[in-house]
Amino acid sequence: MKIAIVREQADGERRVAATPETVKKFGALGADVAIEAGAGLNASIADADYAAAGATVADRAATVASADIILGVQGPAPHSIAGAKPGAWIVAGLNPFGDRGRIASYAAAGFEALAMEFMPRITRAQSMDILSSQSNLSGYKAVLDAAAEYGRAFPMMMTAAGTVSAAKLFVMGVGVAGLQAIATARRLGAQVSATDVRAATKEQIESLGAKAIFVEKVAGIEGEGAGGYATEMSDEYKAAQAELVSGHIAKQDIVITTALIPGRPAPRLISDAQIATMKPGSVIVDLAVEQGGNVEGAVAGEIVERHGVKIVGHRNMPSRLAADTSALFARNLYNFLSAFWDKEKNAPVLDDEIGTAIRLTQGGKIVNERLLG
C-alpha cells in the first residue's frame, strides 16, 4: 500500500495534506508513504522532517508512481497524477459542486475520487470532518482580520483620560466558524451578538456570553436540514429577518458573516442599503465570499470600501493559518483511513454509510447521488 501526498498547486493554497505526525502513523499501519518535495514548506514543515518520520521525498512523478491512495487538500489536476495505479483513491477536498469538470476527468481516468467535504455529520465521523476542523480556525482568523482593519480597540478601557467603549460585533451564521468567531471576539473584549436561521443555536450563542438576535414571530420555521446544515428559508422568514437585522446592523462596528448552504450559492444577508446605515470605519468580514458572498459588494480576494465601511473578502481563510489547519486536516485524513484499515489486506475498506456518502467516482463513472440528482 503506497500513500502519496502531493504539493498543492492551486493559487494561494499553503496547506498540506500530511504532517510528520500522520506520516509516522500511516507507517505504523503498514503503508509506504511518499511525499512530493516542498509539499510542506508553506505550512512550516521541511522535507527533512518528513524523511525523518519515514516518508520518501521525491518529485511529483516519482511520488505518485504506482500510488494506491493520493492525499491532497484540494484535488490535484488529473494529468499530474497519471502515474498512479488504476483505480487509485484520490482523497481530498474536491469541491464537487463547483468543479464538476475535474470530477468528470477523475472518472474518465479511472480514479476513485473521495470528497472529504461530503463526510456525513454523524458521531463516528466527527474526527474525519474537514469542514468543521477548517471552519473552526476560519472563524478565529476572521475576528483577527476584522481587528486588523478596525481602527479602534475591541475591549472597553477605563483610563484617566476617559473611557473607550467596547466594539460591537455581530456574527451572522452560527455554525462552527460562527461559534469560534463569537468566542474569539469575546476574548478580545468585544460586545458580541449573533443570529442564525436555526432555532437550536440560540442556546449555543447565549452559552458563549453573546446576545442572540432571532426572529421570534414566524412560527414553524427551524431552518435546519440534514446533518445540521442550514436550509433555504421562506420568503416570510426572509422579510422578518431583514427587518430585524437592518435595525441591529446599523448599531454595529463589526459584522462577520459565515452562512453557507451546501450545493447552492451563499445566501445574501447584507444589502448595500444596510451597509449604508453603518458608521464610517466599520468592518464586515465575509467568510462566504468564494461561494458568491453573504454581503452585497464583497469581492473575493479583496478588501473593498462601500459607504465608508470596509468589506473584507479574503480567499481560502484556512490557508491563512496553514501550519495549524494543515495539522488538523492531516489528522482528519488519517482518522478517516485508519478507521477503515483492514490489517489483512493492508488497505482501507469503506463501509456503505460513509463510502456511499463521499465516493464521487468509481468504475469510470460519476456515482454520487448528490451529483447525479
Side-chain angles (χ1 to χ4, degrees):
M1 168 58 59
K2 179 180 178 180
I3 298 175
I5 296 96
V6 293
R7 183 173 186 170
E8 299 299 315
Q9 295 180 326
D11 289 343
E13 183 55 78
R14 301 176 59 83
R15 292 172 291 174
V16 63
T19 61
E21 173 197 355
T22 60
V23 165
K24 190 175 294 185
K25 288 180 176 180
F26 280 127
L29 289 178
D32 294 324
V33 181
I35 188 160
E36 184 177 356
L41 293 180
N42 288 328
S44 305
I45 305 172
D47 289 344
D49 295 331
Y50 286 117
T56 300
V57 181
D59 62 20
R60 194 179 191 92
T63 297
V64 302
S66 300
D68 299 281
I69 298 173
I70 298 172
L71 304 182
V73 176
Q74 300 190 41
H79 66 83
S80 73
I81 54 173
K85 284 184 180 177
W89 288 8
I90 301 170
V91 186
L94 298 178
N95 188 20
F97 295 117
D99 205 348
R100 287 292 295 271
R102 180 170 293 189
I103 304 307
S105 295
Y106 289 149
F111 294 123
E112 188 164 326
L114 305 177
M116 290 297 291
E117 61 266 67
F118 274 12
M119 188 66 65
R121 287 196 162 177
I122 55 178
T123 300
R124 68 189 181 97
Q126 285 181 341
S127 67
M128 313 171 194
D129 186 354
I130 65 167
L131 295 182
S132 293
S133 74
Q134 304 302 285
S135 293
N136 195 15
L137 283 162
S138 293
Y140 163 81
K141 184 62 172 172
V143 175
L144 298 190
D145 286 339
E149 298 299 330
Y150 185 53
R152 300 180 181 181
F154 265 44
M156 182 182 76
M157 297 182 184
M158 300 181 70
T159 75
T163 300
V164 174
S165 298
K168 295 180 179 179
L169 186 145
F170 183 39
V171 178
M172 302 183 72
V174 188
V176 174
L179 288 170
Q180 184 57 247
I182 292 170
T184 302
R186 288 274 297 156
R187 290 188 197 105
L188 291 178
Q191 181 180 320
V192 184
S193 57
T195 191
D196 196 285
V197 299
R198 295 164 297 171
T201 61
K202 184 175 182 179
E203 185 177 334
Q204 295 172 320
I205 292 168
E206 293 173 343
S207 73
L208 291 172
K211 181 180 180 181
I213 307 296
F214 273 77
V215 174
E216 301 288 355
K217 297 180 181 180
V218 181
I221 298 174
E222 293 301 318
E224 186 161 324
Y229 291 101
T231 59
E232 190 72 43
M233 303 307 295
S234 70
D235 291 339
E236 181 188 8
Y237 181 93
K238 289 178 181 176
Q241 185 190 44
E243 182 179 355
L244 175 71
V245 166
S246 290
H248 192 66
I249 280 180
K251 304 170 187 175
Q252 303 305 302
D253 301 302
I254 296 162
V255 180
I256 294 174
T257 67
T258 74
L260 289 170
I261 299 174
R264 299 187 184 183
R268 183 55 49 84
L269 301 182
I270 300 179
S271 67
D272 184 72
Q274 289 171 322
I275 296 170
T277 67
M278 296 180 72
K279 294 173 287 188
S282 299
V283 176
I284 302 174
V285 179
D286 189 344
L287 281 180
V289 69
E290 291 179 279
Q291 281 73 48
N294 297 142
V295 183
E296 184 175 357
V299 179
E302 297 184 20
I303 300 173
V304 297
E305 189 168 315
R306 297 176 73 92
H307 309 294
V309 176
K310 288 183 179 180
I311 305 173
V312 180
H314 292 310
R315 293 182 185 272
N316 196 349
M317 191 67 82
S319 188
R320 294 166 56 77
L321 291 166
D324 285 333
T325 49
S326 293
L328 297 182
F329 195 103
R331 288 174 194 150
N332 290 146
L333 295 181
Y334 172 77
N335 291 339
F336 164 57
L337 292 175
S338 63
F340 295 100
W341 203 269
D342 186 308
K343 292 183 178 179
E344 292 184 3
K345 296 182 179 180
N346 193 33
V349 179
L350 301 185
D351 64 14
D352 287 339
E353 183 177 30
I354 289 180
T356 301
I358 69 172
R359 185 181 293 111
L360 304 184
T361 64
Q362 190 176 45
K365 299 177 181 179
I366 294 177
V367 297
N368 194 281
E369 289 185 1
R370 294 175 68 180
L371 298 182
L372 296 174

